Amino acid sequence: MNIKKNDTVLVIAGKDKGKKGKIRFAFPRENKVQVDGVNYIKKHARPRGDAKQAGIIEREAPLHASNVMLLCPKCSKPARVGIKVLDNGNRVRCCKVCKEVLD
């Protein structure tokens, strides 16, 4: 998975196509990400003591990582992510559009 927490992404597929947001959580094992303000679902919750509110609760659900595309902070275009090896041997992410280093 080439996108990480706090990256700004554009949703390219699904009911929220075209929306932008920041990644709140990344789940690399499931290849999913949770984006702020995107993919709201309604969850029916039962009362569990005094701590939880009962009723229909709206919350954000994870999206598959293939349905989002990274927005490059330099060129502000949606771009694929590549890996570049620097002179000192470090591997960093780079934008495939403007060839700038992201990390």
Side-chain angles (χ1 to χ4, degrees):
M1 200 163 76
N2 294 324
I3 49 181
K4 298 178 180 179
K5 183 178 176 178
N6 294 326
D7 282 344
T8 304
V9 294
L10 174 72
V11 179
I12 58 171
K15 65 181 182 181
D16 294 318
K17 182 178 179 177
K19 289 188 179 178
K20 297 175 187 176
K22 194 176 234 183
I23 293 181
R24 181 183 287 179
F25 299 108
F27 308 102
R29 289 187 183 199
E30 294 119 32
N31 208 18
K32 293 189 176 196
V33 293
Q34 188 171 341
V35 183
D36 282 338
V38 175
N39 197 26
Y40 274 99
I41 60 166
K42 291 186 178 186
K43 184 162 177 68
H44 295 260
R46 296 179 67 180
R48 301 275 182 203
D50 295 332
K52 273 193 128 177
Q53 179 69 31
I56 301 172
I57 300 168
E58 276 200 7
R59 66 181 195 99
E60 297 160 343
L63 288 167
H64 197 269
S66 66
N67 292 337
V68 297
M69 199 168 208
L70 180 75
L71 282 173
C72 178
K74 308 284 192 278
C75 62
S76 67
K77 293 181 183 175
R80 290 180 293 145
V81 179
I83 302 295
K84 186 186 282 187
V85 180
L86 298 178
D87 295 334
N88 60 5
N90 289 346
R91 295 176 62 200
V92 293
R93 299 183 304 157
C94 67
C95 172
K96 289 277 195 167
V97 176
C98 64
K99 311 289 191 259
E100 286 291 325
V101 175
L102 299 173
D103 293 331

